Amino acid sequence: MSARIYIARDSGALCVGGEEIAAAFRKAFEKRGLDVEIVRTGSRGLYWLEPLVEVARYKGRVAYGPVHVGDIDGLLDAGMLDGGKHRLGLGLVEDIPWLKNQTRLTFKNCGIVDPRSLEDYKAHGGYKGLETAIEVGPEAIIEEVVNSGLRGRGGAGFPTGIKWRTVAQTPPQQKYIVCNADEGDSGTFADRMIMEGDPFVLIEGMTIAGIAVGATRGYVYIRSEYPNAIEAMEIAVRRAREGGMLGKGIAGSKYDFDMEVRAGAGAYVCGEETSLLESLEGKRGEVRAKPPLPAHIGLFGKPTVINNVLSLATVPIVMTKGGAFYSDFGMGKSRGTMPIQLAGNIKHGGLYETAFGITLGELVDKVGGGTRSGRPVRAVQVGGPLGAYFPRELFDTPFDYEAFAARDGLIGHGGVVVFDDTVDMAKQARFAMEFCAIESCGKCTPCRIGSTRGVELVDKIKAGQDVAENLIVLEDLCNTMKFGSLCALGGFTPYPVMSALTHFPEDFGAPRKCLEAAK
Ligand SMILES: Cc1cc2nc3c(=O)[nH]c(=O)nc-3n(C[C@H](O)[C@H](O)[C@H](O)COP(=O)(O)O)c2cc1C
Ligand code: SF4
C-alpha cells in the first residue's frame, strides 16, 4: 500500500508555508521514487505547530511540526513515513494534550477530512444528521435543536431552535436560510476554519435548517477577506449538488434545497444580520430597524433564518447524536461546547473547543500557556472589538453567557485576545471608539456622532485636560451610546471603553478619585 500524508491547506497554515511544504514534499517523493499520496486538509487548529504534517499509520496519524522546507530530507531519512523518530516528532496527533483535552463536537472532522471530497465526509459520518432529519421531519428537527440548548454562536446567544420555530410558523411561502460568515471579530477564525476544513458540515447544517423551516434556498455570506474559504465553499457546494445532496429531492427525499456563496462587502457592520441582508440584496450595508424581525420579514422581504457558521455547523451532530447528548455538556444556560479562539499575544494560539464552564484563567494560562512574549498577562479582550477587557482579577469567570454578562462582558463569537503588560489601555479604549467611528453605518446619531466625540474625549483625558470633568462626560456618552444606539455596534462600544477605564484607570492618568467622581 502507498503511504499517505496530510498537510493543511487552511489559510493559517498557508500563511506559514503550507503550500511550499506540500510542493517540496511532492518533489522529494518524486526524487526518491516514493509513492506517497498528499491529502490537503483543514487545520487541526494548533497554529503554533503549523505547517503540521501528519502521516497515516495503522494506529492513527503521527504528526511532525512545525515543518520547514529544509527539514524534509532529514524527516524522510529518519523514516517519517514509518512514524520514525525525529526532533519535530509529536507522536500520535490525537495524543497531543492540547488536542486530547478538547471536546470536539462541531470541529470533530476539521483537520481530518479532505474538505473537497463528499465521499470522505460521508466516510467520516457526514450526512448522518441529514438522514435523521429527513426521517423525522420538520417539527421533530426543531424539537431536537430546541432540546439541545444550542444558542447562536454569532454573538447574541439567541436559542437557535426558537429562531427556527418562529420561521417555521410563518405561512408557507418562499423562505431563506442565510449563513452569516462575515466573521469580523478580532481574534476569531473558527468560521473560516470550518469553511476551509469541513465545508460539508455547514452545507449539511443549512440543509437541515431548510427542511426544518420550509426554506428551499440558502446563501452563505462570506467576508471578502476570506478568498480561500470562498473557494472551499464553492467547490463543496458544487460537489454536494453533483452528489445529489443539494438541489431537487436532496438525498432522494421529497425535500428541495439549494444554496450559493456570496462574497461580503468588506464592512464590519455587514456582519450585523439586517445590514447583511441589505448587502445580500445588493444595497449598502445599513442596519434595518427591528421589528420586523428577519424571521418574519428578512431577505427580499421573506421569512429568513440567519445563523452563524458555527450554529449551523453544530446542527449535524445534534441531529446525529440527539439534543440530549449535546445539552449534556456545558453549564447553566450555556449548553454544549464552544469553539474558543485563542489569539493575540499568546504562546499557544489556536482553536480550542470545549464545554462551556472552563474559566478564563484556565484558558489563558493553562491552555494558552501565557503570553508569547513571556511577559505577564495584563488584559484579555473576549468577544471581539465590542467585548470588555478583563484583568487578571476576573480570570475566575467561567466561559458562560450569563457569567460574562454579569461582569459587563460578553462571549460573542468566542474570540480571546491576550495582551501583556506593555499594553496601553487608554490607547485600546481610544481604538474601540475609533473602530466604531470608522465602521458605523451612520444610521443613528449616538453611534455616528458619539464615537467621534468619544475619540476626542479619550484624547483629552490622555492629555490631562480637565480629567475629572471629561471622565464624567465620557461615562455619560457611553451611556447614551449603550442605551440609544440602534444596533450593538454603537450599543456595545462602551464595554471595551468602560472596562478599560474601570480596571486600568492608571493608563488614563486618572486617579481613582476622578473615577469615583465620574460615578
Ligand atoms: C456590528 C455587528 C457585527 C456582527 N458580526 C457578526 C458576524 O461577523 N458573524 C455573525 O455570525 N454574527 C455577527 N453579528 C451578530 C448577527 O447580527 C446575528 O446575531 C447572528 O448572525 C445570528 O446568528 P446566530 O443566532 O447563529 O448567532 C454581528 C452583530 C453586530 C451588531
Ligand atoms: S449603532 Fe452604529 S452601526 Fe448600528 S445602526 Fe446605529 S449607526 Fe449603524
Side-chain angles (χ1 to χ4, degrees):
M1 193 189 88
S2 68
R4 185 183 299 145
I5 68 168
Y6 303 85
I7 303 173
R9 199 196 265 119
D10 162 281
S11 296
L14 295 183
C15 284
V16 288
E19 202 56 52
E20 291 77 6
I21 290 291
F25 264 111
R26 208 166 287 122
K27 224 161 132 188
F29 294 146
E30 245 174 64
K31 201 166 129 202
R32 293 177 183 233
L34 296 169
D35 179 17
V36 183
E37 184 191 356
I38 303 178
V39 179
R40 306 302 301 275
T41 59
S43 175
R44 298 271 190 170
L46 288 70
Y47 279 115
W48 73 99
L49 294 177
E50 291 287 1
L52 185 74
V53 179
E54 299 175 21
V55 182
R57 303 290 301 147
Y58 69 94
K59 55 187 176 184
R61 293 187 193 172
V62 177
Y64 298 86
V67 176
H68 300 287
V69 172
D71 299 318
I72 294 178
D73 275 331
L75 280 163
L76 293 173
D77 291 345
M80 166 199 175
L81 295 177
D82 298 316
K85 280 199 169 32
H86 188 274
R87 69 182 163 80
L88 297 179
L90 298 159
L92 281 176
V93 67
E94 307 280 359
D95 286 344
I96 299 174
W98 213 82
L99 197 55
K100 198 173 183 173
N101 293 334
Q102 298 188 39
T103 303
R104 289 215 163 182
L105 301 182
T106 308
F107 276 77
K108 84 180 176 58
N109 284 334
C110 195
I112 297 173
V113 291
D114 174 355
R116 298 192 174 183
S117 167
L118 177 63
E119 293 66 38
D120 200 31
Y121 179 64
K122 286 184 174 173
H124 284 86
Y127 279 116
K128 287 266 183 295
L130 180 69
E131 215 175 280
T132 308
I134 290 170
E135 208 177 290
V136 300
E139 273 173 40
I141 298 173
I142 292 174
E143 198 62 24
E144 210 62 50
V145 177
V146 169
N147 290 342
S148 74
L150 177 66
R151 291 168 71 173
R153 303 292 190 236
F158 188 82
T160 305
I162 305 293
K163 189 183 282 189
W164 290 16
R165 186 174 280 153
T166 311
V167 177
Q169 284 171 350
T170 59
Q173 59 193 297
Q174 178 65 56
K175 299 179 189 180
Y176 296 104
I177 307 296
V178 173
C179 172
N180 189 341
D182 201 43
E183 197 165 55
D185 280 3
S186 37
T188 63
F189 43 84
D191 294 352
R192 181 187 58 68
M193 278 184 68
I194 283 288
M195 292 186 287
E196 292 178 2
D198 193 12
F200 292 105
V201 81
L202 176 57
I203 297 172
E204 184 182 354
M206 288 181 71
T207 309
I208 295 170
I211 295 175
V213 306
T216 53
R217 188 135 206 98
Y219 293 90
V220 192
Y221 183 93
I222 309 177
R223 62 179 306 176
S224 58
E225 296 89 338
Y226 279 178
N228 297 326
I230 292 173
E231 187 190 14
M233 282 306 302
E234 276 173 347
I235 292 172
V237 165
R238 202 164 57 238
R239 299 213 167 138
R241 200 177 288 132
E242 285 162 6
M245 304 311 285
L246 282 175
K248 287 215 163 295
I250 36 171
S253 72
K254 62 177 180 184
Y255 299 104
D256 302 337
F257 185 78
D258 210 337
M259 57 185 276
E260 57 186 274
V261 176
R262 290 288 173 88
Y268 180 68
V269 77
C270 284
E272 193 282 332
E273 57 187 15
T274 59
S275 187
L276 185 153
L277 293 178
E278 290 285 297
S279 179
L280 255 185
E281 290 178 8
K283 301 176 204 150
R284 178 168 168 250
E286 196 177 64
V287 173
R288 293 179 186 169
K290 285 191 270 189
L293 293 171
H296 294 128
I297 298 181
L299 186 64
F300 305 120
K302 300 292 179 190
T304 303
V305 164
I306 305 184
N307 273 134
N308 173 253
V309 172
L310 301 181
S311 319
L312 291 160
T314 302
V315 169
I317 190 130
V318 167
M319 291 311 297
T320 304
K321 300 245 182 184
F325 165 84
Y326 190 75
S327 73
D328 220 22
F329 299 90
M331 69 172 278
K333 291 184 193 159
S334 305
R335 308 312 314 170
T337 57
M338 184 72 194
I340 297 167
Q341 300 124 86
L342 300 175
N345 189 345
I346 191 154
K347 196 166 167 199
H348 295 149
L351 191 289
Y352 196 86
E353 182 175 353
T354 188
F356 283 98
I358 188 168
T359 66
L360 191 52
E362 281 176 271
L363 277 171
V364 173
D365 297 324
K366 224 165 110 196
V367 178
T371 63
R372 191 154 40 101
S373 60
R375 301 183 67 92
V377 175
R378 181 147 188 252
V380 174
Q381 189 178 30
V382 184
L386 311 176
Y389 287 99
F390 276 50
R392 189 165 273 287
E393 299 85 78
L394 298 184
F395 276 16
D396 61 344
T397 314
F399 225 82
D400 163 71
Y401 291 101
E402 280 66 36
F404 264 70
R407 290 181 161 179
D408 282 336
L410 61 128
I411 284 179
H413 187 45
V416 174
V417 181
V418 178
F419 297 83
D420 73 11
D421 61 351
T422 59
V423 66
D424 176 346
M425 294 307 295
K427 218 166 152 183
Q428 294 305 119
R430 186 189 193 279
F431 172 72
M433 284 293 191
E434 193 186 15
F435 180 81
C436 182
I438 293 168
E439 297 293 339
S440 169
C441 83
K443 185 145 179 167
C444 68
T445 316
C447 168
R448 187 184 67 244
I449 306 291
S451 50
T452 298
R453 294 291 92 86
V455 173
E456 293 164 1
L457 274 169
V458 177
D459 282 344
K460 283 182 191 165
I461 292 165
K462 280 201 77 181
Q465 205 178 314
D466 303 323
V467 174
E469 291 79 1
N470 278 323
L471 280 171
I472 294 171
V473 181
L474 182 61
E475 182 163 8
D476 195 36
L477 173 70
C478 280
N479 279 329
T480 305
M481 290 175 71
K482 192 167 156 183
F483 299 110
S485 294
L486 188 58
C487 86
L489 179 48
F492 276 76
T493 293
Y495 284 79
V497 177
M498 290 311 293
S499 59
L501 199 50
T502 306
H503 302 303
F504 308 95
E506 59 279 13
D507 286 19
F508 293 78
R512 288 236 172 239
K513 63 179 170 44
C514 286
L515 277 179
E516 271 145 30
K519 295 262 151 75

